[in-house]
Amino acid sequence: TIPVLVSAGAHTVYAVGSGGSEASAGIVVLPHDVTAPAIPSAAIAKSTGGVGGYIRQNGQYYVYANVTDQGSPSSGIATVRANVSTITTGASAVVLTAGSFSVEGVSYNYRSAVQTASNPLSAGSKSFSITATDVATNSTVQGGFSATVDNTVPAASDVQTVNGGTPGRAETGDAVVLTFTEPMDPHLILSGWDGSATTVTLRLVQNAGGDRVQVRDAGNATVLPLGTVFLNRTDYATATRDFTGSTMVMSGSTITITLGTPSGAVTTAAAAGTMTWTPSATATDRAGNACSTATVTESGVLDLDF
């Protein structure tokens, strides 16, 4: 073993026989890595992707970390492990492997295999730590990381419209406002959506049993998992109309869809009505809890919608 205090550079190693004879060979001692790895960031995100930092009991998730070896020169990272025993019972040394990963646009270079949260698991903030060891056996334990456990099923809270023109007529600039009981995961409503303004198509469905509203993707090919708004009147249109170029944005627990250009003529409702909204169970909150499909009724006084 080369002693730690031997200076870096060229040296000669000697073997001395019992009778005094010698043999020698040259060696080069490299600088010794005495600096432990750094772990600047880590996160937990559900295995379905989307918003990070939230998990539900019995939900599946990954552990992510950014790890770098600070030695000069670096000896390289040997192992990275996570202690997530506050979330998954007994998971105190979960192995993370190197790769290229991303959570909400943030890059990580290590990730675990899929883990499953305990059930039951109490709601609230749960701390976890990451341990990294380099090839030279320097080790760092970095705590201070956390994830939030949320076991509450989200639900519809209210539905409203905003008039930007003729009362009772669905027109460009009007809006439909959907409010949930808690923030939803935008990525699971529309792939790649982060909640900022994005283009969608609002479809006003003419129906003899009552006109209704659905939200579709920008290409008008797929119905988004926002459920159906029932206008509970039959005089908003004489045929189904698509409002292309509509805009959808999320703020907190509220999603607002502002109407774009209609595909044909619309009509004006003759009287006030009360909307109802039945959401979709495909939509989830940030922790992955599926939305309740219980119908909610428009709050406030009886009024003309749109």
Side-chain angles (χ1 to χ4, degrees):
T1 300
I2 305 299
V4 171
L5 295 180
V6 171
S7 61
H11 293 267
T12 302
V13 174
Y14 294 89
V16 180
S18 59
S21 60
E22 294 183 357
S24 63
I27 65 169
V28 176
V29 176
L30 298 176
H32 183 53
D33 182 356
V34 296
T35 305
I39 310 169
S41 58
I44 280 176
K46 54 190 181 295
S47 59
T48 52
V51 174
Y54 294 86
I55 188 65
R56 61 180 175 85
Q57 60 186 6
N58 204 41
Q60 294 189 317
Y61 65 94
Y62 292 108
V63 186
Y64 298 83
N66 272 318
V67 182
T68 57
D69 189 12
Q70 301 297 292
S72 180
S74 167
S75 61
I77 299 297
T79 61
V80 178
R81 291 183 170 87
N83 183 346
V84 289
S85 57
T86 58
I87 299 171
T88 301
T89 301
S92 58
V94 175
V95 174
L96 278 65
T97 56
S100 180
F101 312 101
S102 178
V103 178
E104 293 188 278
V106 178
S107 297
Y108 296 91
N109 61 352
Y110 279 84
R111 190 182 76 174
S112 71
V114 173
Q115 307 297 305
T116 301
S118 298
N119 187 18
L121 180 64
S122 61
S125 179
K126 308 294 180 183
S127 61
F128 68 95
S129 63
I130 304 292
T131 299
T133 303
D134 63 19
V135 174
T137 71
N138 302 298
S139 185
T140 298
V141 179
Q142 182 66 58
F145 305 120
S146 65
T148 298
V149 176
D150 174 9
N151 299 322
T152 302
V153 173
S157 175
D158 196 13
V159 57
Q160 297 287 331
T161 58
V162 177
N163 176 47
T166 305
R169 179 189 291 262
E171 299 173 293
T172 302
D174 291 352
V176 177
V177 183
L178 308 175
T179 302
F180 294 87
T181 53
E182 61 174 296
M184 304 298 283
D185 191 330
H187 301 264
L188 301 182
I189 292 173
L190 178 63
S191 178
W193 184 41
D194 62 2
S196 59
T198 190
T199 302
V200 294
T201 299
L202 183 140
R203 174 168 287 185
L204 175 59
V205 181
Q206 196 281 328
N207 191 287
D211 298 341
R212 54 201 64 183
V213 169
Q214 293 178 335
V215 183
R216 306 169 71 89
D217 63 10
N220 202 14
T222 304
V223 178
L224 302 186
L226 290 172
T228 302
V229 175
F230 298 89
L231 301 175
N232 295 316
R233 294 191 60 84
T234 61
D235 51 359
Y236 285 95
T238 57
T240 295
R241 304 302 185 197
D242 290 322
F243 288 77
T244 57
S246 298
T247 302
M248 179 172 68
V249 65
M250 185 174 75
S251 177
S253 303
T254 298
I255 295 176
T256 301
I257 304 98
T258 302
L259 277 62
T261 305
S263 58
V266 295
T267 56
T268 302
T274 300
M275 295 182 294
T276 57
W277 168 36
T278 303
S280 168
T282 303
T284 77
D285 64 13
R286 296 169 295 182
N289 296 294
C291 187
S292 165
T293 57
T295 298
V296 67
T297 300
E298 175 188 7
S299 66
V301 299
L302 187 66
D303 63 352
L304 283 168
D305 295 314
F306 293 111

